[in-house]
Amino acid sequence: MAKKVLLIDGNSVAFRAFFALFQQVDKFVNQDGLHTGAIFGFNKMLDIILDEVKPDYAIVAFDAGKTTFRTEMFPDYKGGRSKTPSELSEQMPFIKKLVQAHGIKTYELPNYEADDIIGTLAKEADNSGYMTTVVTGDRDLTQLSTDNVTVSVTKKGVTEVENYDPVHVMEKYEITPAQIIDMKGLMGDASDNYPGVTKVGEKTAIKLLKQYGTIEGIYEHIDEFKQSKMKEHLIEDQELAFQAKKLATINQDAPIEIKLSDIEFKGIQTEELIELYRQLDFKSYLAKLDGEQISLDLDAALSEIEFTVLNQDNLNEVNQFNDEITLYVEMPDSNYHTSEFTGFVMGNNSHWLVSRDIDLLQSDEIKSVLESNDIKKNVFNAKAMTVALNRLGIKLNNLDFDLLLASYLLDTNDNSDDLGQVAHEHGFMDVMSDESVYGKGAKFAIPADQELFEHLAHKANAIDVLHEKLVKELETNEQTALYRTIELPLSNVLSKMEIRGIHVNADTLESMGSKLIERMSEMKQLIYQEAGEEFNINSPKQLGEILFEKMGLPVIKKTKTGYSTAVDVLEKLRADAPIVDNVLQYRQISKLQSTYIEGLLKVIHSTDQKVHTRYLQTLTQTGRLSSVDPNLQNIPIRLEEGRKIRQAFEPSHEGWEIFSSDYSQIELRVLAHITGDKNLQEAFIEDEDIHASTARRIFKLGPNDEINRDQRRQAKAVNFGIVYGISDFGLAQNIGITRKQAKMFIETYFEEFPGVKQYIDDIVGLAHQQGYVETLTNRRRYLPDIHAKNFNLRSFAERTAMNTPIQGSAADIIKIAMIKMEDALKDAGLQAKMLLQIHDELVFEAPAEEIPTLEKLVPRIMDSAVSLDVPLKVESAHGKTWYEAK
DNA sequence: AATGTCACG
DNA sequence: ACGTACGTGACATTT
C-alpha cells in the first residue's frame, strides 16, 4: 500500500482554532493564566486527523517571519493586517511543543511561508507515488490537490474539514486545481492585501476561466472581447492580475533542507504529552490517554502515603480517634441506595485505616465511633455516607465538614461529584480522580488492594487537608450560616426522605401501560395509513422526511441537523393535515409509556415496593435540588392523561393519605420582597389574584373593570417573563403577539412597577461589578460570561443575574422550611412523614386522622420559614393517592 | 456522546 | 444588528 503523508499548515490551523474558540476565550486559561483555546483546538484537530490518516510521514509547517519572497515582490503583501492577538501568540510555542509531543516534526524556513514548504513536500510525495493529506485553514491551498494529494480545509471550528481533491474542486468551482491560482489572480485577496482586477469576483473569474483556461489565455483573446466595463478593467489591471497570480502561486520548489525521509511519524510520545497536558490543565485529554499508562505515571507523581489495613484483630486501632475523624466509604456506582461497597477509609492526621471488608464497619469498635455524638465526622458527600451507612444499620452522627457541599457553596460552577476532581479545583493535586483509578466504560475495573488502599488514603487525606481552607473561605464569603444551618442539616433531612422512599403501585402502572400500548398501536396504524408507508415515528429525522418532503407541509423551523418537529411547530401545522394531530397524540402517549410507566416500573425496589430517588444537592446553579433515579420532580400534572400517573403513588400504610402543600407564587413574592416594589408588594399584602392585578395595571383598567381571560393569560406570561429576565422577542413568541406589542407590555410593566425596573438595572450592574450575584442566604452564583464580548453569552449572563436571586431565594426558603418541618413533625409526635420536594411543594404521607393537624401545622411552618416584606401563602390538599391530593 | 423532544417547577 | 425567556432529567434515535 502506498505510504501516507500528512502535511499541516500550522499557522492557519492555529488561527482557525483560536477564533473558533474565541467566544470562550476566558474559559480556556490554565493555572498560570496562559490562554489555551487554540492549543486545545489544535490538539483536537491533531487527534482526529492522526486517527483518520494514520500517516507514515508527517510535518507541521509554520511561517518563519514577516518578510518573504512575496513581500520583496510586493511590499504591501499581508499589510494592514491587525497584529496577532497576544492571547494567540503566547500559545504558538506550546502548539509547537504539542506537535512534537505527538511525534511530529515542526519546520519553518526563512523567507518562505508554510504554504511553500507544504507545496514542495507535496510535490515530492506525489512524485514518489505517496498519498498525501494537506490540512489547512486556507482555501488557496486547494491548488495543490491532485489525484494523490487531498487538501482538507477546516470548516467552522477545526474539527470538521472539507476534503478537496480535483473532483471536488471541479464540483465546487467548475475549474481545475491549477486554475484556482488564476482565479485568485483575477480576484486578488483582501486578507493578504493584494488587489486583482477591479470588479471581478469569484463568479466572473470562473466564467472567464471556463472559456479561456488561464489568465494568459484571457489576455491573448482580450481583443475579441465585446466593448464593456469589464474589458476596460481587465486591460487597465493587467499588471495587477499577473502580479496577483504570482503572489497566489505556491512555490513548489522551495529550498528546504528536509526530505520526506526526515519526517517519519514517530507516534505519540506519551510521557512528553502527559507532562504538557498537565502544564496546560487539559484534564479531559489526560484522562483520555491510555488509562494504565496514566495511572502508573500519575501514581508516581503522588506522594507516598502510609496506611494500616484493618482486620478483625487490630480493630482497637480506631480507639485513637476521640475528637474527629475523616471518613470515606467507597462505592463504584453513583447510586448509593444500591451500589456495592468496595472499601472504606477512616482516620485523621495522616493516620489512615483502610479495608475492603465492609462488615468491619458494623463492629462495635467502629460503629461506636461512627454513631458517637462527640466525635466529629469529616466527609465528602454527607448524604451519600448517611444513606450508605444506614444500609448497614449504622447511624452516622455529628457530621461536621462535607467537602462536596462546601465546595458547591463556594462555587457552583466547576463542581463534580468526584472527590479527586473537586480537590484539584481547590489546588490540591495529591489525589487521583476515580476515573483515572478505575477507568471508565468497558475498561472499568476495581484495582488490587495496594492501589485501592492508596487511593482511599489519598482521598481521606484530601478531605483533611482542604477542611480548614474551605471553612475559611466559607467564612470570608459570609456563607458559614448557609452551610451550617441550611445545607448540612438539609442533607440529613434529604437522606431520611430518600431512605423512606414513596410507595408506587406497580399494578396500577401496568394496567395503565397496557391501555396505553393498545392506543399507541392504533395511532401508529392510523399514522402509517396517512403517511402511506411505515416509518419510525419516534425518529425526528424520519418524521421530518414524511411531513416536509413526502407530504410537502411548510417548514416552520429548522434544527441544526434537519427539520424541527417540536410541538410548537406541529401545532402550527395541525390544520394542514390530520396526521399532525395524530403524531402529537402519539408522542404524548409514547412519552407516558416509556418514561413514566416503563421508567418508573424499572426503579421500584422489589423489597418494599417503593422508589427511592436521589436528590442532588450540589448540582444546580441556583440552589434548587434536582432529583434522579427516578426524577420525581417531573411527574405529569398539566394534562389529565398524564396526571393519572399520580394515581400509582400511594401511602405506604393502610388508612394513610398523601398530603401535599405548595407555596403560592413564591417566586413573585420573593421578587416583591427583593425589589421592594410598593405596587407589587401591595398586591400580595392585599392577597389579590396576582396575574389579574398585573393585567389591571398593564392594560390600564379601572378598579371595577372586568379582566377577561386573555388579558389575565397575557399578564401571567409577563409576570413569568419578568422572573426569567424578559426580552420582547421571548414574550412575543410565548404569547403569540408581535414584538412591538410585547415591547409595549414590558415598558408599561416597568412604569407600573418601577421598583422592579430599578432592581433589574441594579442587579445587572452589581453582577458586572463583582462577577457574582447572591440570594437571601448568601448563596452565590458566579457569572463569568457577564464580561463576555459575545452578545449572546453576555445577555444570557445578565438574565441569569436577575433570575438567580429570585429562583435561588425561593429555593432557600423551602430548604429552611424542610429543616423546620422534620423537627416540627417529630416534636408534635406525629407519624406523618415528609416524602418529596418539588421546588415549591412538599409531599407527605400520614395517617388519615393526622390530616387536620397537618392542615394547620405544615402551612404554618412553611409560611414562617423566613420573614419577608410580603406574606407567604401556602395551599394544601390531600387524598388517597398523590393524584387525589389536588 | 450528541441531539431532539418533552415532562416538571 | 446581534437572537432570545430561568432551572432541571429521561428517553429514543443517531453519530
Side-chain angles (χ1 to χ4, degrees):
Chain A
M1 214 170 80
K3 297 265 188 190
K4 285 174 292 189
V5 182
L6 176 63
L7 308 171
I8 298 175
D9 178 352
N11 284 76
S12 81
V13 173
F15 255 85
R16 285 293 183 112
F18 178 70
F19 287 106
L21 295 167
F22 191 66
Q23 283 140 336
Q24 301 159 48
V25 71
D26 295 328
K27 274 193 191 154
F28 287 94
V29 179
N30 79 348
Q31 296 145 331
D32 309 329
L34 171 80
H35 288 86
T36 55
I39 311 173
F40 189 89
F42 206 105
N43 193 53
K44 207 165 169 184
M45 180 280 296
L46 266 185
D47 279 358
I48 293 173
I49 213 83
L50 284 175
D51 191 53
E52 220 174 78
V53 177
K54 302 196 168 60
D56 301 289
Y57 302 102
I59 196 167
V60 179
F62 290 91
D63 298 341
K66 278 225 119 175
T67 54
T68 62
F69 70 91
R70 291 189 180 83
T71 47
E72 230 163 84
M73 198 164 101
F74 181 67
D76 270 354
Y77 181 72
K78 292 198 177 174
R81 269 200 188 178
S82 47
K83 231 172 83 200
T84 308
S86 66
E87 292 93 340
L88 172 58
S89 50
E90 70 187 25
Q91 299 186 58
M92 293 309 288
F94 290 92
I95 290 180
K96 288 179 187 169
K97 279 190 205 166
L98 180 82
V99 170
Q100 287 151 12
H102 275 84
I104 302 175
K105 269 222 168 70
T106 58
Y107 187 70
E108 51 192 71
L109 181 66
N111 269 329
Y112 290 84
E113 292 185 65
D115 295 5
D116 304 312
I117 301 169
I118 289 176
T120 306
L121 286 168
K123 188 173 151 193
E124 188 192 338
D126 205 353
N127 291 338
S128 314
Y130 296 169
M131 296 300 290
T132 302
T133 303
V134 173
V135 182
T136 177
D138 186 350
R139 245 164 235 287
D140 295 3
L141 271 78
T142 53
Q143 63 181 272
L144 296 177
S145 72
T146 71
D147 289 344
N148 299 320
V149 178
T150 305
V151 179
S152 300
V153 180
T154 59
K155 300 209 292 195
K156 304 173 200 160
V158 285
T159 51
E160 262 184 70
V161 294
E162 187 168 7
N163 291 321
Y164 288 87
D165 53 20
V167 178
H168 186 60
V169 171
M170 186 55 79
E171 275 170 7
K172 185 126 179 172
Y173 297 111
E174 303 177 84
I175 55 177
T176 65
Q179 287 177 307
I180 295 277
I181 308 172
D182 296 277
M183 180 172 94
K184 294 271 304 192
L186 291 168
M187 288 165 60
D189 188 323
S191 73
D192 285 347
N193 200 40
Y194 59 82
V197 177
T198 312
K199 293 272 177 200
V200 172
E202 192 174 303
K203 289 254 165 65
T204 317
I206 290 172
K207 206 179 76 192
L208 289 169
L209 291 171
K210 272 165 74 180
Q211 198 172 349
Y212 301 103
T214 60
I215 290 188
E216 288 78 4
I218 292 170
Y219 285 102
E220 271 168 34
H221 295 91
I222 191 78
D223 299 337
E224 300 159 22
F225 278 49
K226 277 193 305 220
Q227 195 54 44
S228 69
K229 272 269 182 274
M230 185 176 78
K231 183 177 178 181
E232 284 172 31
H233 290 314
L234 278 169
I235 294 171
E236 205 163 299
D237 295 336
Q238 180 166 4
E239 217 173 298
L240 288 175
F242 280 101
Q243 182 192 40
K245 181 170 174 176
K246 264 191 206 153
L247 289 169
T249 305
I250 290 172
N251 185 334
Q252 295 200 267
D253 295 298
I256 54 176
E257 300 128 348
I258 46 168
K259 296 190 294 294
L260 279 176
S261 52
D262 301 326
I263 62 165
E264 212 163 311
F265 173 53
K266 293 200 283 273
I268 284 174
Q269 311 291 298
T270 314
E271 274 174 32
E272 237 175 283
L273 199 54
I274 289 175
E275 183 51 43
L276 188 62
Y277 283 163
R278 280 233 195 91
Q279 196 182 350
L280 294 169
D281 255 350
F282 284 179
K283 299 193 186 77
S284 58
Y285 283 125
L286 265 177
K288 235 178 169 172
L289 280 177
D290 181 13
E292 266 173 61
Q293 173 91 29
I294 271 234
S295 65
L296 282 176
D297 194 82
L298 279 175
D299 223 13
L302 294 195
S303 69
E304 270 191 34
I305 194 155
E306 286 182 23
F307 54 84
T308 307
V309 180
L310 270 185
N311 56 50
Q312 291 291 351
D313 303 325
N314 62 0
L315 283 173
N316 55 355
E317 288 267 346
V318 302
N319 296 336
Q320 64 184 298
F321 309 117
N322 43 35
D323 179 16
E324 60 181 312
I325 60 157
T326 295
L327 167 75
Y328 193 86
V329 178
E330 185 86 337
M331 289 174 276
D333 190 307
S334 58
N335 190 340
Y336 45 71
H337 291 296
T338 51
S339 172
E340 57 168 324
F341 300 111
T342 48
F344 68 89
V345 55
M346 57 193 295
N348 65 28
N349 282 330
S350 312
H351 287 96
W352 306 120
L353 308 176
V354 299
S355 177
R356 297 187 102 111
D357 184 0
I358 290 299
D359 296 340
L360 293 180
L361 289 170
Q362 286 159 311
S363 67
D364 291 342
E365 288 87 345
I366 297 185
K367 190 171 176 182
S368 68
V369 169
L370 298 180
E371 297 199 334
S372 160
N373 280 304
D374 300 322
I375 303 174
K376 289 180 181 170
K377 316 296 184 317
N378 303 321
V379 299
F380 178 86
N381 198 345
K383 180 154 64 66
M385 291 304 120
T386 306
V387 173
L389 291 173
N390 175 74
R391 286 167 57 195
L392 302 169
I394 300 163
K395 187 165 176 337
L396 184 58
N397 283 317
N398 201 1
L399 279 158
D400 192 70
F401 175 67
D402 181 345
L403 173 58
L404 175 64
L405 210 42
S407 174
Y408 168 72
L409 294 181
L410 289 170
D411 190 345
T412 53
N413 274 320
D414 32 47
N415 239 292
S416 158
D417 52 10
D418 182 287
L419 191 154
Q421 286 189 35
V422 169
H424 294 178
E425 296 291 349
H426 293 278
F428 183 81
M429 307 309 285
D430 196 24
V431 59
M432 279 193 270
S433 73
D434 285 334
E435 203 181 292
S436 50
V437 175
Y438 295 114
K440 64 169 174 180
K443 283 188 181 167
F444 183 93
I446 291 157
D449 286 0
Q450 180 68 19
E451 199 183 338
L452 175 70
F453 291 156
E454 280 178 13
H455 183 46
L456 287 175
H458 275 296
K459 277 186 168 180
N461 187 47
I463 297 172
D464 225 23
V465 171
L466 287 169
H467 180 173
E468 197 183 339
K469 173 177 146 84
L470 265 61
V471 165
K472 267 193 194 143
E473 287 180 28
L474 286 172
E475 188 62 38
T476 313
N477 287 0
E478 298 184 301
Q479 292 179 305
T480 304
L482 170 62
Y483 173 73
R484 292 221 158 260
T485 67
I486 300 181
E487 295 297 343
L488 192 60
L490 180 72
S491 80
N492 190 43
V493 173
L494 292 173
S495 69
K496 288 184 183 160
M497 293 165 65
E498 294 179 7
I499 290 165
R500 269 174 214 141
I502 182 165
H503 193 264
V504 175
N505 189 325
D507 295 340
T508 310
L509 287 181
E510 267 159 15
S511 77
M512 284 177 171
S514 47
K515 279 183 208 145
L516 290 179
I517 288 173
E518 207 172 298
R519 276 193 56 201
M520 218 152 48
S521 66
E522 283 167 25
M523 303 291 311
K524 222 164 153 180
Q525 290 314 315
L526 206 57
I527 291 167
Y528 292 160
Q529 235 170 44
E530 285 162 334
E533 66 179 287
E534 297 201 354
F535 65 102
N536 188 342
I537 310 168
N538 286 321
S539 159
K541 190 164 164 249
Q542 294 181 34
L543 179 63
E545 280 161 17
I546 295 282
L547 293 181
F548 303 110
E549 284 171 22
K550 186 166 181 186
M551 307 188 65
L553 295 175
V555 177
I556 303 209
K557 203 167 72 180
K558 286 195 149 196
T559 66
K560 54 179 126 176
T561 51
Y563 312 105
S564 169
T565 65
V567 239
D568 55 320
V569 170
L570 295 194
E571 242 145 35
K572 292 193 179 105
L573 298 171
R574 245 190 175 132
D576 296 356
I579 189 173
V580 175
D581 208 48
N582 291 325
V583 168
L584 282 168
Q585 283 189 47
Y586 176 87
R587 280 230 182 112
Q588 202 193 320
I589 302 167
S590 120
K591 175 86 180 178
L592 291 177
Q593 172 64 18
S594 65
T595 304
Y596 297 105
I597 304 282
E598 285 174 1
L600 272 176
L601 282 171
K602 262 187 265 177
V603 290
I604 298 176
H605 287 222
S606 53
T607 46
D608 59 6
Q609 299 301 307
K610 287 175 169 183
V611 293
H612 300 265
T613 187
R614 277 150 50 224
Y615 289 104
L616 304 187
Q617 199 183 347
T618 56
L619 182 136
T620 70
Q621 298 300 307
T622 55
R624 275 188 174 184
L625 302 175
S626 86
S627 157
V628 294
D629 282 341
N631 181 355
L632 295 179
Q633 291 181 319
N634 72 345
I635 303 300
I637 188 166
R638 289 173 201 176
L639 299 172
E640 176 56 26
E641 280 204 282
R643 191 175 200 155
K644 291 211 160 68
I645 298 285
R646 294 178 176 226
Q647 291 171 339
F649 288 78
E650 299 171 340
S652 54
H653 305 287
E654 199 62 38
W656 285 40
E657 289 200 349
I658 298 290
F659 179 86
S660 160
S661 293
D662 66 282
Y663 283 112
S664 162
Q665 305 296 353
I666 188 164
E667 292 194 346
L668 287 172
R669 285 169 200 264
V670 168
L671 181 73
H673 172 81
I674 290 184
T675 62
D677 186 279
K678 290 294 168 234
N679 291 341
L680 196 53
Q681 291 190 350
E682 186 193 301
F684 284 119
I685 290 165
E686 300 299 323
D687 196 23
E688 289 170 25
D689 171 346
I690 189 62
H691 301 314
S693 157
T694 300
R696 199 175 292 289
R697 288 187 178 274
I698 63 177
F699 294 108
K700 307 263 188 202
L701 303 175
N704 298 317
D705 287 346
E706 284 267 323
I707 297 154
N708 67 38
R709 289 175 65 113
D710 205 49
Q711 288 169 328
R712 187 176 181 283
R713 183 183 67 88
Q714 300 201 355
K716 186 173 171 181
V718 172
N719 280 333
F720 270 98
I722 294 294
V723 171
Y724 293 154
I726 201 159
S727 75
D728 51 10
F729 186 96
L731 180 64
Q733 179 110 55
N734 193 290
I735 51 177
I737 55 174
T738 66
R739 206 168 150 165
K740 222 174 184 172
Q741 284 172 306
K743 201 172 170 197
M744 284 276 296
F745 279 170
I746 295 168
E747 274 168 20
T748 318
Y749 183 96
F750 285 147
E751 281 164 25
E752 294 290 328
F753 300 100
V756 176
K757 171 82 177 122
Q758 185 65 48
Y759 163 76
I760 293 177
D761 294 344
D762 291 350
I763 194 76
V764 169
L766 191 66
H768 273 278
Q769 184 203 318
Q770 59 187 17
Y772 62 87
V773 291
E774 287 173 312
T775 68
L776 282 181
T777 65
N778 291 355
R779 187 186 302 285
R780 192 178 274 210
R781 178 177 187 176
Y782 288 93
L783 301 166
D785 287 342
I786 201 91
H787 302 119
K789 293 178 188 137
N790 179 297
F791 176 89
N792 278 327
L793 287 178
R794 193 177 61 250
S795 303
F796 184 55
E798 287 170 355
R799 289 198 295 274
T800 13
M802 76 142 304
N803 170 267
T804 297
I806 310 294
Q807 193 183 112
S809 296
D812 294 343
I813 292 170
I814 195 165
K815 283 179 168 178
I816 295 169
M818 289 168 76
I819 296 161
K820 295 189 170 177
M821 192 71 67
E822 196 68 28
D823 291 340
L825 292 176
K826 199 174 164 203
D827 292 349
L830 296 171
Q831 290 176 268
K833 295 286 185 282
M834 187 158 50
L835 303 180
L836 304 176
Q837 188 249 46
I838 305 111
H839 309 305
D840 62 357
E841 174 187 5
L842 295 174
V843 177
F844 305 79
E845 62 177 2
E849 58 273 19
E850 288 184 6
I851 298 293
T853 315
L854 290 182
E855 282 181 313
K856 293 197 209 82
L857 182 142
V858 172
R860 199 187 70 229
I861 302 293
M862 286 173 75
D863 68 32
S864 66
V866 295
S867 166
L868 303 183
D869 294 343
V870 293
L872 289 174
K873 188 176 174 183
V874 176
E875 290 167 344
S876 305
H878 63 94
K880 290 240 180 299
T881 67
W882 193 8
Y883 176 85
E884 287 171 54
K886 63 176 173 184

